[in-house]
Amino acid sequence: MADERSDSSHFAPSRRGVMVGGAAAAMAASAPADAQIKRTTMPPDPAAMPLTLKVNGKDHRLSLDPRTTLLDALREHLHLSGTKKGCDHGQCGACTVLVDGQRINSCLTLALQHDGDAITTIEGLGTPDKLHPMQSAFVRHDGYQCGYCTPGQICSAVAVLDEIRAGVPSYVQDDLMARPQASGSEMRERMSGNICRCGAYSNIAEAMADVAGAKA
């Protein structure tokens, strides 16, 4: 009898062991059930609306909650992670993309507003084998450090030079009726909505001047 009591006490579980084992068993038992509940009780979102986003020359048919921003549609649904989410308030420019050739903050606009529009992200400007001239200039002039804001900077820089060529005036112009020039002050003013927390502004200006054939 003494030997039996000794053997039973040797295998007596600890309080901690019981708790850990119970928790593990509960998790293992509940996981499949939870997954099954989600599969059977979550109907399609009745508020979702169909749309077609034409991104980098390719049509994407989606069904999205009407509150989905263009930024979230690009990143979360199309998995184009080049466009960055910075402030999410339209203040940093990291989410800049081109829509029908014009730059916008994609965090401030709804995806549904751009049904059928031609959207260009950083992935659509160039490829690793054939960079856009602005991408090449950023590399040449080291117009980036951490690289987080760089996609928005490049998209905005491309649009800025297009704006100047199109004669769109800016705040720093003395004569709003005159044709703007790709001067350093013009480009800096027009790029003021794109923040670089690393402080690579002078290199960014040089890259833009290189592409514009002007002086930074």
Side-chain angles (χ1 to χ4, degrees), residues 25-49:
M27 291 176 64
S30 65
D34 289 344
Q36 182 65 27
I37 290 172
K38 290 179 181 179
R39 286 195 298 268
T40 58
T41 63
M42 292 183 65
D45 184 357
M49 299 183 67

Side-chain angles (χ1 to χ4, degrees), residues 1-204:
M1 293 296 292
D3 291 340
E4 291 179 3
R5 286 195 298 270
S6 176
D7 291 341
S8 63
S9 63
H10 178 71
F11 293 103
S14 66
R15 182 172 179 272
R16 178 180 176 82
V18 171
M19 294 178 66
V20 171
M27 291 176 64
S30 65
D34 289 344
Q36 182 65 27
I37 290 172
K38 290 179 181 179
R39 286 195 298 268
T40 58
T41 63
M42 292 183 65
D45 184 357
M49 299 183 67
L51 75 158
T52 299
L53 293 180
K54 186 175 183 179
V55 183
N56 301 328
K58 183 179 179 180
D59 287 343
H60 299 271
R61 292 176 175 80
L62 302 171
S63 181
L64 300 178
D65 185 305
R67 298 165 295 180
T68 304
T69 64
L70 178 58
L71 173 59
D72 286 339
L74 293 172
R75 287 183 58 84
E76 307 301 330
H77 296 271
L78 299 184
H79 308 294
L80 295 171
S81 58
T83 305
K84 303 303 183 188
K85 178 174 286 196
C87 65
D88 214 22
H89 288 78
Q91 297 174 347
C92 72
C95 68
T96 303
V97 298
L98 307 178
V99 176
D100 292 334
Q102 297 185 342
R103 55 182 173 150
I104 67 166
N105 291 325
S106 59
C107 73
L108 293 183
T109 186
L110 298 175
L112 282 171
Q113 293 177 265
H114 301 287
D115 188 1
D117 290 348
I119 301 164
T120 302
T121 69
I122 189 67
E123 292 91 345
L125 281 180
T127 66
D129 296 328
K130 188 177 181 180
L131 296 176
H132 184 279
M134 189 65 73
Q135 292 173 313
S136 296
F138 266 64
V139 173
R140 201 159 47 247
H141 293 275
D142 193 21
Y144 55 87
Q145 287 188 33
C146 77
Y148 192 84
C149 73
T150 305
Q153 296 275 6
I154 291 176
C155 286
S156 195
V158 169
V160 161
L161 297 189
D162 288 342
E163 291 167 8
I164 292 174
R165 283 191 289 266
V168 178
S170 79
Y171 177 77
V172 297
Q173 276 183 248
D174 294 328
D175 183 1
L176 294 180
M177 301 305 293
R179 195 164 190 83
Q181 302 298 315
S183 64
S185 59
E186 275 285 351
M187 291 188 287
R188 282 176 164 82
E189 165 62 24
R190 293 171 188 262
M191 289 292 292
S192 60
N194 288 81
I195 296 174
C196 173
R197 291 174 175 85
C198 297
Y201 295 115
S202 59
N203 295 356
I204 291 170

